[in-house]
Amino acid sequence: MAIALMIRKDDHTPGDLRMLAEAPYFDTHLVRQPTMTPQPHRGIPVTDEVSDQELLPAGTLIHSNSIARSTRKAFEEALGHQLPTVTQEAQGPFMKSRQLRNLLVSRPELRSDPTIGELYQLLTLVTKLGFSVGWYENIEEKAHKGFR
């Protein structure tokens, strides 16, 4: 099962998306509109500048790279609160940025936790930018080609 962070904001700006692209669990290809030209592989820095027109339009649902189930569990246990789970079609409740920000501010020590510090930093940025947040769980397991 793949777990990602799903975020949305009706009026996000290109600047918001550029900040997300530099955050943990995000890459430029996640905030760029799909194109027919091949994109660099995950983890390889993109050196060319992305124009505003290439970025996802305002209101588009955005998901992060995969987040380990153990990281999610450790984060929610340390925070003392569970984030809602939503579907790919944005069905389900999203946690409002203000509500999550209040939870994060009450636990600043999580920023330096080696297991969940990057997730904490990402969620701090996401809430600062005003995005609503939820978990997306993709339950479709990919079978190995040689295994049937």
Side-chain angles (χ1 to χ4, degrees):
M1 173 187 308
I3 297 173
L5 193 64
M6 189 76 74
I7 63 172
R8 73 171 179 202
K9 180 180 174 185
D10 292 336
D11 57 350
H12 70 248
T13 66
D16 293 342
L17 297 185
R18 285 190 172 84
M19 290 178 78
L20 277 178
E22 296 174 6
Y25 298 106
F26 267 93
D27 290 313
T28 302
H29 76 276
L30 295 171
V31 297
R32 181 183 245 170
Q33 293 188 49
T35 62
M36 293 306 195
T37 58
Q39 298 299 315
H41 292 286
R42 195 166 104 176
I44 298 175
V46 177
T47 55
D48 59 302
E49 186 65 28
V50 179
S51 72
D52 290 356
Q53 293 76 23
E54 292 177 272
L55 296 171
L56 294 171
T60 304
L61 196 61
I62 302 168
H63 66 85
S64 71
N65 285 322
S66 294
I67 297 171
R69 191 178 319 177
S70 59
T71 302
R72 173 188 176 174
K73 183 178 179 184
F75 178 78
E76 289 183 333
E77 285 176 1
L79 194 61
H81 194 86
Q82 290 186 336
L83 300 180
T85 301
V86 298
T87 66
Q88 181 72 35
E89 297 79 30
Q91 299 296 317
F94 279 77
M95 181 176 278
K96 302 284 185 213
S97 62
R98 181 171 290 163
Q99 180 184 5
L100 181 55
R101 186 177 328 126
N102 290 339
L103 288 169
L104 295 172
V105 168
S106 70
R107 300 297 308 273
E109 71 278 6
L110 299 179
R111 177 182 311 268
S112 60
D113 186 298
T115 305
I116 59 176
E118 287 188 337
L119 181 56
Y120 181 92
Q121 290 172 23
L122 170 61
L123 288 170
T124 301
L125 173 64
V126 165
T127 60
K128 177 182 169 187
L129 296 174
F131 285 90
S132 297
V133 179
W135 292 113
Y136 169 64
E137 297 179 353
N138 185 354
I139 57 175
E140 294 179 18
E141 295 284 339
K142 293 182 180 178
H144 298 285
K145 291 182 180 181
F147 184 75
R148 297 197 191 259

